[in-house]
């Protein structure tokens, strides 16, 4: 059976807990596909930029103020995040939301994630930034912290600093955000298979597998 190539674009924001959960579902789906005798596919992952809060300043804002404003009060925020924490635990993530003191603007994070492609480290970059924010409560508004995290996954310090100093990917990140809006993407994660089939939200792994199976069968149809 010939190998079928599938391009999977994932619009995501590392300050979005559902994106973290969605990545766990994706990891599980990819493992299922790898172990499947029925699917012979080569899936190319490409993480795309999406900012939940592009209006925030580069310094971010206090997390408590952010959640209270976003969800219409402290009690509502507590109820919302209780559901998020439960969903996260089901995929083996123990969120430490109380550790988060600053809600960052994620633009600079996306620039480093985009830069990590140069070194074949995009998957590791995404995972490390998720961990740093949701498990360790790191202030991802501070560029020195972002650089430190990038170095931890293997990105060389000099080129990493240059990515931010020269704004190498700033325009591309903005274009990806605009592209998502043009496609009508209003929430993340959002998966696009071969630029044809879209899947919205932190879908269970079996739904991701079904989407890949659908794309595979579609590719086998005579033109």
């Amino acid at each position: 059976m010939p190998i079928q190539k599938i391009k999977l674009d994932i619009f995501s924001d590392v300050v979005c807990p559902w994106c973290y959960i969605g990545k766990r579902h994706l990891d599980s789906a990819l493992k299922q596909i790898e172990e499947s005798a029925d699917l012979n596919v080569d899936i190319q992952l490409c993480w795309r930029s999406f900012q939940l809060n592009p209006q925030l300043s580069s310094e971010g804002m206090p997390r408590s103020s952010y959640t209270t404003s976003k969800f219409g009060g402290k009690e509502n925020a507590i109820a919302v995040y209780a559901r998020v924490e439960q969903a996260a635990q089901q995929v083996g993530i123990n969120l430490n939301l109380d550790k988060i003191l600053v809600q960052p603007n994620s633009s600079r994070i996306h620039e480093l994630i985009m830069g990590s492609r140069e070194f074949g480290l995009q998957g590791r970059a995404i995972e490390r930034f998720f961990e740093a924010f949701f498990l360790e409560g790191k202030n991802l508004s501070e560029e020195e912290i972002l650089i430190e995290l990038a170095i931890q996954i293997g990105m060389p310090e000099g080129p990493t600093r240059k990515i931010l100093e020269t704004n190498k990917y700033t325009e591309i990140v903005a274009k990806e955000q605009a592209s998502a809006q043009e496609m009508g993407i209003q929430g993340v994660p959002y998966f696009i298979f071969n630029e044809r089939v879209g899947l919205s939200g932190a879908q269970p792994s079996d739904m991701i597998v079904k989407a890949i199976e659908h794309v595979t069968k579609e590719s086998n149809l005579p033109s």
Side-chain angles (χ1 to χ4, degrees), residues 5 12 132 151 155 203:
K5 294 186 179 295
S12 172
I151 292 170
M155 291 176 66
Q203 297 289 342

Side-chain angles (χ1 to χ4, degrees), residues 11-22:
F11 283 88
S12 172
D13 196 348
V14 293
V15 299
C16 164
W18 289 111
C19 293
Y20 195 5
I21 294 166

Side-chain angles (χ1 to χ4, degrees), residues 4-8 26 30 33 41-45 212:
Q4 292 194 37
K5 294 186 179 295
I6 293 177
K7 182 185 178 187
L8 175 50
L26 174 62
L30 294 177
I33 290 167
V41 293
D42 176 16
I43 301 174
Q44 176 191 356
L45 300 182
I212 292 171

Side-chain angles (χ1 to χ4, degrees), residues 158-178:
T160 298
R161 289 188 178 278
K162 193 172 182 179
I163 286 170
L164 297 182
E165 289 170 358
T166 62
N167 297 320
K168 184 175 183 179
Y169 292 104
T170 301
E171 186 176 347
I172 298 175
V173 167
K175 284 182 177 179
E176 288 198 348
Q177 178 81 7

Side-chain angles (χ1 to χ4, degrees), residues 44-189:
Q44 176 191 356
L45 300 182
C46 189
W47 295 87
R48 301 293 186 184
S49 305
F50 187 96
Q51 293 183 68
L52 291 176
N53 309 291
Q55 78 284 356
L56 291 184
S57 71
S58 60
E59 294 80 20
M61 70 181 293
R63 172 75 174 182
S64 57
S65 300
Y66 168 78
T67 56
T68 298
S69 173
K70 182 177 179 68
F71 299 109
K74 183 177 180 180
E75 295 304 317
N76 287 343
I78 290 172
V80 167
Y81 281 112
R83 293 193 293 272
V84 172
E85 287 179 308
Q86 184 178 26
Q89 287 171 358
Q90 290 174 354
V91 293
I93 301 171
N94 293 311
L95 300 174
N96 286 316
L97 300 177
D98 291 341
K99 283 190 173 184
I100 303 173
L101 300 180
V102 176
Q103 183 71 27
N105 178 306
S106 58
S107 176
R108 301 300 262 174
I109 309 169
H110 285 300
E111 290 173 36
L112 285 182
I113 291 170
M114 195 163 288
S116 69
R117 293 181 196 167
E118 298 178 19
F119 310 101
L121 293 169
Q122 196 175 39
R124 291 181 64 185
I126 287 279
E127 184 70 24
R128 187 65 189 101
F129 285 125
F130 275 138
E131 292 173 351
F133 188 63
F134 286 111
L135 306 186
E136 301 164 18
K138 298 279 190 184
N139 182 357
L140 300 189
S141 292
E142 296 185 9
E143 288 193 1
E144 285 303 315
I145 290 178
L146 298 182
I147 291 169
E148 177 186 346
L149 294 170
I151 292 170
Q152 287 175 9
I153 64 157
M155 291 176 66
E157 182 175 355
T160 298
R161 289 188 178 278
K162 193 172 182 179
I163 286 170
L164 297 182
E165 289 170 358
T166 62
N167 297 320
K168 184 175 183 179
Y169 292 104
T170 301
E171 186 176 347
I172 298 175
V173 167
K175 284 182 177 179
E176 288 198 348
Q177 178 81 7
S179 174
Q181 292 175 342
E182 288 172 4
M183 287 187 283
I185 298 174
Q186 297 179 333
V188 285

